[in-house]
């Protein structure tokens, strides 16, 4: 099997994503978890670029690795939860969780075996130019774009409301002290 | 080929002239705001550099035979490119020299006039900003650059009119100027959007030569909309009342604003796009009508005003009306020549008024007369020279340019415009000398020398030097009329002299003299009661004094129509309909949300597990079976 | 030429599995959201990969919408976490459920603040 440079890059990036995601989900300290997650998302951005989505790669960096993760860090630093405060699950819960994961793995394996034989050939490299991407997005999916914008507005208002509600409750709760 | 590239040296000169004031503005506001002397020195030095560059450019290109233009791409979007650059043709060269020289003289004058003011440094910073905005506007080769600097001119004049922002009336005047010109600018904006979207070009030379893709109807629409911007900027009817209020700023600011920069920008734009406007007869006719109406209306307002600065402000509107009339009649050279001479004598008039006001601390011409303003001989001589030029008396510059304007009007199809113009000449001479005579021949006079009452800083030598220079210009400029016309006319239209031209040339100075004589009879001679004929007829006087109730109309439009009508309706609609509907919807949402929340309380992870298990289990079953 | 399509799918599956494990086993609301993010990311990877395989730009469009939805979800989710933390001084999902939280796990380590 001959490996092109692209393929080498792909495996390196894939390993990076998996390792950093694995580190992220196992950290006790949440700041570490979020930082590993940032690495994972940056690697995903590289992967997007490799798979022919340059604009999406940029968005991934700006929105995901940039904005969303910074929000995470803010929240983590704001509420400063104790790193060792997490209780371990009961054995029954743990078994159930891994049972569910087992179902998922079984489904994935079945899907892999049922895959068509030609799926094993390498994909042709291609890239969507930002212009083509943007044009397609606003040509075919303008309604979805509007709906997403509405969703973001609702999220904004919801977050605002929740933030105020939390503060109000806190002040009420503290009053009798 | 519409133009040739600008030679390198000229390009450097033009850029220097434009950019140095900006650098001065930045330096003053960032570093030297608290160091008034340094700030003033920097600003005046920058103005001097600009003036030298402008004069060099004019001398170098005195014999130019085609416009010179060079531009660099500023930003590009698709096929559309916005360029910034320099366009040098007779019009921009002349305007550049006017702006640079008036800005320089006014700043020198301000050294004395503004001495001791708390905002000395800030004042000179804004002055530099103003000069930079105007240079950018004058040199602009395309409409986008024109518009950007057009707005900057508006901004800097807002800053300067409201310079004494502790005074409520000053801030209000600044806001009024800003908002009323903004109304015109909105029209201008739509106009150039039409040019961009349907015409496909914003280059001034291409528009003027007709190399655009607009149908004749669209050309008319675009020209009318652009003229809307000119109306706002040049304070033409019906957007004229901001200019008299703009007197709240320091007097040198008024001088600059009225002669070379803010209001001149409107007429300049019309001259700049003269070729484009000529392509639409309707737009030219509309411009003619607006110019004539503003000219006559403001002349009548000037006849009854008691505030010396306001009289000059009305006369500015009136003279701008003359310029627009000349341009609309096809007299390209005449309009620009009047703009040039007007810049000189209007700056002179304002600066003289500044000296008087400075010494006696009143704007009222009767009080000035009583306080003995006539004993300030130098200022009064200069002011009379300016007034003679404004009235159009030989050998002052105003005579020659007014003759040129009348010649252009005589060539117009409709004789009405010519007769309106001649009436305007009479009124101009009348209200100008009303003011002069009232100050020169007060009925009662207070004792004491000039400025003795206050003992404040009286005008110093530098200020008088500026006045002297402007007086010399006012006396001399007229004799260069022929050379000026030959220079400016290289690519401009040729105004044909109509058969009424000779009549106009004779009638105009005769009417001017008649206006002065009428003023003498009512205000000058010992027998007169110093009450004008307009004031004797009560309703007419009130009409003129209240500015033809234009401000009341605006108040009605904004107050009654916009505020009570539309805004109130919208408010009702919002309160009753939208809020009612929203209350219903939110109530429903809250109700269903409470209901749904009841099913979802607690047990996050087990529920997630169940969801995953069901989902993947279903997939598994689907795949296997 | 890049790798076979199945390898991209496999990567997506593994990352998704990690996110799932995270959401199901960590007893920390914040980490549950982290797990959700990882799962959404896996979905985006799969969409982009499929878009390349089938020559459809649609896959990238879907990935873009995933990013947008994730942004909305995170903002509301984190606001809720903050809200819950203010009320219970705990991030344990069980503590928020009918206050069955055993005392002294999170509250003991809470920094001393207020009177």
């Amino acid at each position: 099997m001959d490996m092109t440079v692209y393929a080498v890059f792909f495996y390196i990036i894939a390993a990076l994503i998996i390792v950093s995601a694995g580190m992220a989900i196992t950290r006790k300290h949440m700041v570490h978890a979020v930082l590993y997650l940032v690495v994972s998302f940056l690697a995903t951005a590289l992967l997007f670029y490799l798979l022919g989505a340059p604009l999406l790669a940029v968005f991934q960096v700006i929105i995901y690795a940039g904005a969303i993760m910074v929000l995470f860090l803010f929240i983590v630093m704001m509420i400063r939860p104790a790193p060792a405060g997490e209780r371990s699950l009961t054995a029954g819960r743990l078994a159930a969780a891994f049972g569910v994961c087992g179902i998922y793995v079984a489904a994935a394996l079945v899907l892999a075996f049922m895959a068509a034989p030609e799926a094993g050939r390498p994909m042709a490299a291609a890239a969507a130019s930002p212009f083509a991407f943007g044009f397609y997005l606003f040509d075919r999916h303008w309604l979805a774009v509007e709906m997403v914008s509405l969703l973001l507005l609702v999220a904004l208002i919801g977050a605002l409301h929740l933030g105020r509600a939390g503060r109000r409750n806190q002040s009420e709760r503290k009053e009798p002290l | 080929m519409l133009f040739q590239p600008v030679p390198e040296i000229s390009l450097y000169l033009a850029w220097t002239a434009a950019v140095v004031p900006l650098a001065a503005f930045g330096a003053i506001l960032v570093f030297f705001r608290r160091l008034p002397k340094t700030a003033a020195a920097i600003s005046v030095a920058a103005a001097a550099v600009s003036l030298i560059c402008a004069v060099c450019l004019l001398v170098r290109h005195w014999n130019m035979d085609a416009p010179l233009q060079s531009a660099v791409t500023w930003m590009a979007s698709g096929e559309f490119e916005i360029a910034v650059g320099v366009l040098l043709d007779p019009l921009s060269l002349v305007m550049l020299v006017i702006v640079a020289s008036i800005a320089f003289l006014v700043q020198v004058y301000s050294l004395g006039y503004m001495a001791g003011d708390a905002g000395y440094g800030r004042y000179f910073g804004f002055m530099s900003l103003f000069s930079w905005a105007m240079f950018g506007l004058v040199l602009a080769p395309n409409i986008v650059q024109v518009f950007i600097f057009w707005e900057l001119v508006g901004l800097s004049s807002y800053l300067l009119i409201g310079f004494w922002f502790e005074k409520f009336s000053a801030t209000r005047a600044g806001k009024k100027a800003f908002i009323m010109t903004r109304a015109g600018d909105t029209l201008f904006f739509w106009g150039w959007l039409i040019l961009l979207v349907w015409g496909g070009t914003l280059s001034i030379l291409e528009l003027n030569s007709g190399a655009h893709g607009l149908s004749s109807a669209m050309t008319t629409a675009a020209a009318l909309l652009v003229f809307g911007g000119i109306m706002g900027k040049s304070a033409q009817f019906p957007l004229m009342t901001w200019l008299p209020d703009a007197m709240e700023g320091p007097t040198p600011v008024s001088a600059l604003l009225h002669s070379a920069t803010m209001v001149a920008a409107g007429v300049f734009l019309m001259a700049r796009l003269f070729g484009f406007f000529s392509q639409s007869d309707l737009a030219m006719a509309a411009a003619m009508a607006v110019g004539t109406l503003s000219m006559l209306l403001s002349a009548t307002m000037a006849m009854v005003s008691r505030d010396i600065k306001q009289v000059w402000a009305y006369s500015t509107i009136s003279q701008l009306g003359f310029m627009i009339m000349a341009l609309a009649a096809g007299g390209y050279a005449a309009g620009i020549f009047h703009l040039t001479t007007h810049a000189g004598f209007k700056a002179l008039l304002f600066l003289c008024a500044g000296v008087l006001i400075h010494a006696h601390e009143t704007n009222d011409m009767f009080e000035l007369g009583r306080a003995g303003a006539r004993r300030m001989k130098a200022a009064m001589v200069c002011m009379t020279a300016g007034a003679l030029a404004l009235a159009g008396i030989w050998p002052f510059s105003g005579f020659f340019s007014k003759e040129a304007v009348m010649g252009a009007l005589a060539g117009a199809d409709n004789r009405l415009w010519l007769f309106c113009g001649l009436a305007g000449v009479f009124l101009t001479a009348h209200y100008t000398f009303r003011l002069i005579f009232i100050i020169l021949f007060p009925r009662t006079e207070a004792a004491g020398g000039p400025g003795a009452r206050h003992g404040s800083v009286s005008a110093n030598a530098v200020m008088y030097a500026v006045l002297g220079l402007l007086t010399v210009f006012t006396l001399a400029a007229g004799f260069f009329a022929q050379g000026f016309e030959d220079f400016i006319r290289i690519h401009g239209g040729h105004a044909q002299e109509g058969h009424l031209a000779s009549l106009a040339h004779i009638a105009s100075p005769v009417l001017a003299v008649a206006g002065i004589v009428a003023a003498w009879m009512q205000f000058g001679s010992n027998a007169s009661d110093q009450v004008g004929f307009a004031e004797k007829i009560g309703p007419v006087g009130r009409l003129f004094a209240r500015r033809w109730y234009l401000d009341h109309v605006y108040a009605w439009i904004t107050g009654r129509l916009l505020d009570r009508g539309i805004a109130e309706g919208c408010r009702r609609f919002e309160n009753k309909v939208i809020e009612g509907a929203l209350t219903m919807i939110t109530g429903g949402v809250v109700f269903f949300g409470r209901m749904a929340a009841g099913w979802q309380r607690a047990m996050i992870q087990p529920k997630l597990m169940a969801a995953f298990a069901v989902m993947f289990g279903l997939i598994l079953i689907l795949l296997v079976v | 030429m890049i790798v076979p399509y199945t390898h991209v799918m496999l990567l997506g599956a593994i990352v998704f599995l990690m996110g799932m494990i995270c959401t199901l086993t960590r007893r920390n609301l914040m980490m549950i959201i982290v797990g959700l993010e990882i799962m959404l990311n896996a979905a985006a990877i799969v969409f982009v990969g499929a878009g390349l395989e089938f020559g459809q730009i649609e896959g990238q469009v879907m990935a873009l919408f995933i990013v947008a939805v994730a942004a909305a979800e995170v903002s509301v989710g984190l606001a809720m976490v903050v809200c819950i933390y203010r009320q219970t001084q705990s991030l344990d999902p069980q503590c928020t459920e009918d206050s069955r939280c055993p005392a002294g796990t999170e509250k003991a380590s809470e920094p001393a603040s207020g009177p």
Side-chain angles (χ1 to χ4, degrees), chain B residues 430-486:
Chain B
H430 182 263
Y431 69 70
T432 308
F433 276 86
R434 164 177 175 265
L435 187 149
I436 297 289
F437 289 144
I438 285 176
I439 294 184
L440 277 184
F441 305 108
R443 287 296 95 114
T444 57
E445 193 175 336
R453 212 149 51 94
H454 305 282
S456 61
V457 207
S458 61
N460 59 28
V462 181
M463 286 159 77
Y464 279 120
V466 171
L467 295 186
L469 272 175
L470 282 170
T471 313
V472 169
F473 173 79
T474 305
L475 261 172
F479 296 99
F480 298 103
Q482 197 52 49
F484 184 89
E485 249 177 66
D486 293 341

Side-chain angles (χ1 to χ4, degrees), chain C residues 4 12-13 19 23 32-33 48 107 111:
Chain C
T23 44
I32 290 178
I33 296 181
V48 173
K107 282 176 183 169

Side-chain angles (χ1 to χ4, degrees), chain B residues 34-282:
Chain B
R34 305 258 170 260
L35 302 169
K37 288 261 161 55
T38 325
I42 290 175
S43 178
V44 172
V49 169
S50 299
L51 178 59
I52 291 167
C53 291
V55 171
C56 286
L57 278 175
L58 185 68
V59 171
R60 268 179 69 85
H61 296 290
W62 184 255
N63 290 316
M64 63 164 33
D65 43 11
L68 307 171
Q69 179 181 329
S70 42
V72 289
T73 303
W74 177 32
M75 57 163 101
S77 164
E79 289 176 10
F80 170 62
E81 285 188 351
I82 296 178
V84 288
V86 168
L87 166 62
L88 293 180
D89 67 348
L91 175 63
S92 62
L93 287 173
V94 165
M95 199 66 196
L96 200 61
V97 173
I98 298 175
V99 175
S101 44
I102 300 285
F104 175 71
L105 290 176
V106 165
Q107 288 194 18
V108 171
Y109 176 92
S110 308
L111 289 176
Y113 189 86
M114 297 298 287
D117 193 282
Y120 201 68
R122 185 165 56 96
Y123 173 83
F124 279 98
F126 288 162
M127 277 296 205
S128 292
L129 177 69
F130 210 164
S131 319
W132 171 63
M134 200 59 202
F135 288 137
L137 173 64
V138 167
L139 291 171
N142 60 50
I143 307 278
V144 176
Q145 192 179 338
V146 166
F147 189 72
I148 292 170
F149 285 101
W150 181 267
E151 294 298 318
L152 277 172
V153 167
L155 169 71
S156 36
S157 60
Y158 161 74
L159 290 173
L160 283 170
I161 292 169
F163 178 73
W164 284 314
F165 55 83
E166 318 84 50
K167 269 202 310 191
F168 178 68
S169 58
T171 56
R172 212 179 51 176
K175 276 187 283 189
K176 187 171 177 185
F178 198 69
I179 290 167
M180 284 186 82
T181 51
R182 207 56 60 249
D185 292 352
T186 313
L187 298 179
F188 181 24
F189 185 66
W190 287 341
W192 72 259
L193 281 188
I194 288 183
L195 292 178
L196 174 63
V197 173
W198 282 287
T201 180
L202 288 175
S203 158
I204 285 168
L205 291 175
E206 282 176 26
L207 288 173
N208 277 346
S209 63
H212 55 75
L214 288 174
S215 63
S216 64
M218 278 313 230
T219 308
T220 303
L224 283 175
L225 286 171
V226 172
F227 187 71
I230 294 170
M231 266 158 43
K233 208 56 140 200
S234 282
Q236 297 297 296
F237 180 82
L239 298 175
M240 64 208 296
T241 57
W242 67 266
L243 194 57
D245 288 5
M247 294 301 113
E248 289 293 340
T251 310
V253 170
S254 310
L256 186 60
L257 200 100
H258 282 255
S259 55
T261 51
M262 176 82 176
V263 294
V267 176
F268 169 77
L269 181 65
M270 181 152 178
R272 181 89 282 186
L273 291 173
F274 183 73
F276 179 69
F277 276 104
S278 320
Q279 290 158 31
S280 161
D281 288 337
L282 183 62

Side-chain angles (χ1 to χ4, degrees), chain B residues 544-563:
Chain B
F544 291 174
R546 295 269 171 86
R547 303 180 188 170
W548 293 74
Y549 296 100
L550 275 176
D551 275 335
H552 296 250
V553 173
Y554 297 141
W556 186 83
I557 288 176
T558 52
R560 192 62 63 81
L561 213 64
L562 289 181
D563 197 43

Side-chain angles (χ1 to χ4, degrees), chain B residues 506-578:
Chain B
I506 297 166
S508 150
V510 168
L511 280 169
V513 172
I516 296 176
V517 170
W520 170 256
M521 284 171 13
Q522 287 171 32
F523 303 102
S525 71
N526 283 325
S528 65
D529 53 358
Q530 294 209 330
V531 178
F533 60 78
E535 284 145 310
K536 284 190 182 122
I537 312 165
V540 178
R542 267 203 300 282
L543 182 68
F544 291 174
R546 295 269 171 86
R547 303 180 188 170
W548 293 74
Y549 296 100
L550 275 176
D551 275 335
H552 296 250
V553 173
Y554 297 141
W556 186 83
I557 288 176
T558 52
R560 192 62 63 81
L561 213 64
L562 289 181
D563 197 43
R564 293 264 184 76
I566 299 174
E568 182 73 17
C570 289
R571 199 176 65 80
R572 290 238 176 94
F573 182 77
E574 160 144 12
N575 276 353
K576 297 275 156 62
V577 182
I578 298 183

